[in-house]
Amino acid sequence: MSPYPAAVERMMKRLYRSLRENDRRRYAAIEATELGHGGTKYIATLLGCDPKTIRQGSGELEAEDELDTQRVRKKRANASG
């Protein structure tokens, strides 16, 4: 596996930061899968995420279920009410 050129890495990081949490892990999973052996470690280091997050994204993408496109996290209950 050879790393991406620096310009591509910069674009990947910029895109990654612009995504929602669930989209980030799925994007990272696709990139890691594309690279093959060593891809998960490389992408986790490049994007600053946990390899477990990438594996979770892979599991979501490999599942037969439709991808959840709703809120990433539930709204917090109002603490003052």
Side-chain angles (χ1 to χ4, degrees):
M1 184 212 73
S2 57
Y4 290 114
V8 173
E9 287 184 346
R10 281 192 303 277
M11 289 187 286
M12 289 171 66
K13 289 177 186 179
R14 186 168 184 228
L15 172 63
Y16 182 78
R17 288 189 305 265
S18 75
L19 298 173
R20 295 180 324 157
E21 182 179 344
N22 57 352
D23 296 326
R24 284 180 177 189
R25 67 177 167 260
R26 294 169 188 164
Y27 170 68
I30 289 171
E31 289 293 341
T33 301
E34 183 179 327
L35 292 171
H37 182 73
T40 298
K41 182 178 179 182
Y42 171 69
I43 294 298
T45 301
L46 174 66
L47 300 178
C49 64
D50 194 300
K52 291 181 215 171
T53 300
I54 295 175
R55 287 191 290 275
Q56 180 182 353
S58 292
E60 292 172 4
L61 292 169
E62 292 170 0
E64 296 293 323
D65 304 335
E66 288 292 318
L67 294 175
D68 182 15
T69 58
Q70 301 302 312
R71 283 190 67 82
V72 176
R73 296 178 185 218
K74 293 182 181 180
K75 286 187 178 181
R76 214 170 71 174
N78 189 347
S80 63

